Amino acid sequence: MVAKKRCELPGEFRSLELARGTWILARQGRERAEVFLRGVQPMAAALLGGATFGDLDIEWTETAANLTATFDGERETFPVKSAIVHRPIPALYRGLPLAVLDEATRRFWRRVFTAARWPGGRFLLAFLARRGGNRRRGGPNPPPDGQKRP
């Protein structure tokens, strides 16, 4: 698996200092995102100090991360020890190739789960599953041609 080494986050961010050298950068609106920074240098902390800035780019290296942001129309870059990007779950699921069931499959599973709620329905489904198992797998081997089973 190849790790992603660069992340571009457009939009307007607000900064908030959580502890000395630890910051959170939050983007509000429809596409929310949060960036947690650790090991922010004092010079960069003075730049972040409760400011609002735009278009955040993060580039990870082996030992640190470089953060580039737009402050008052100018691009500034500063190093941080680590940067963790958090995006809410709905935005993550949009990019995944999730399975979609067609109408016939949905109808089948709806009937199975309905039957499971009937009194004794679980036992009926278990019986049907055991009974049909041999047919799907080919069942016992048929005797060679011209021979009868003992």
Side-chain angles (χ1 to χ4, degrees):
M1 183 171 131
V2 178
K4 190 173 182 181
K5 303 218 180 222
R6 186 171 175 79
C7 180
E8 297 177 0
L9 299 167
E12 186 175 287
F13 287 83
R14 295 181 189 271
S15 61
L16 174 68
E17 186 172 17
L18 301 175
R20 188 173 180 194
T22 305
W23 289 79
I24 184 171
L25 311 177
R27 177 177 66 187
Q28 299 299 321
R30 227 178 101 216
E31 296 282 331
R32 291 183 45 221
E34 295 174 330
V35 180
F36 296 93
L37 303 176
R38 190 176 59 91
V40 177
Q41 303 295 325
M43 180 185 73
L47 191 63
L48 286 174
T52 300
F53 53 91
D55 297 339
L56 190 64
D57 297 335
I58 305 168
E59 188 170 349
W60 287 273
T61 62
E62 293 293 324
T63 58
N66 291 319
L67 189 77
T68 305
T70 305
F71 293 93
D72 297 327
E74 293 183 25
R75 299 288 284 170
E76 296 284 338
T77 302
F78 53 92
V80 295
K81 272 190 183 175
S82 68
I84 300 169
V85 178
H86 170 72
R87 293 182 181 148
I89 294 293
L92 291 177
Y93 284 147
R94 273 189 237 131
L96 295 177
L98 299 175
V100 179
L101 302 177
D102 62 346
E103 184 56 37
T105 307
R106 271 188 261 141
R107 185 174 48 244
F108 168 78
W109 285 111
R110 196 173 330 132
R111 289 177 180 171
V112 167
F113 288 119
T114 301
R117 287 192 296 255
W118 298 339
R122 286 190 353 221
F123 298 112
L124 174 65
L125 291 173
F127 171 74
L128 292 173
R130 279 193 304 272
R131 186 180 66 109
N134 286 339
R135 277 187 285 149
R136 277 182 291 180
R137 291 188 214 113
N141 292 334
D145 290 335
Q147 295 181 6
K148 292 185 178 180
R149 287 202 185 266

